[in-house]
Amino acid sequence: MSAPSLPQLLVGHWSSSWSATAEGTLLAILYVWTARRVRGHWPVRRTLSFLAGIGCVLVALESGIDSF
């Protein structure tokens, strides 16, 4: 038996977890809301990096990579 390839893990074995999705969405909304309220200039790059990090964690937890 051979190990599945990365595209197979990302597409074929996806199992959505409502709790992880809800928590990730809540953290993203809270971060964006707080970043908009900061006085002065808040770097957009920092916000995008944070959102990309949340996305990476959600993909790692909900795709086939987690079960593999």
Side-chain angles (χ1 to χ4, degrees):
M1 181 174 180
S2 65
S5 66
L6 184 60
Q8 288 174 334
L9 287 174
L10 290 175
V11 176
H13 298 91
W14 196 269
S15 61
S16 182
S17 168
W18 70 269
S19 61
T21 304
E23 187 174 349
T25 303
L26 179 66
L27 287 173
I29 291 170
L30 183 63
Y31 188 89
V32 169
W33 179 71
T34 306
R36 292 187 71 188
R37 293 181 50 95
V38 170
R39 292 185 183 194
H41 179 68
W42 186 259
V44 174
R45 183 175 60 197
R46 187 175 293 171
T47 303
L48 293 176
S49 296
F50 183 81
L51 295 176
I54 289 177
C56 287
V57 169
L58 289 177
V59 167
L61 291 176
E62 295 182 356
S63 68
I65 294 173
D66 179 43
S67 61
F68 185 67

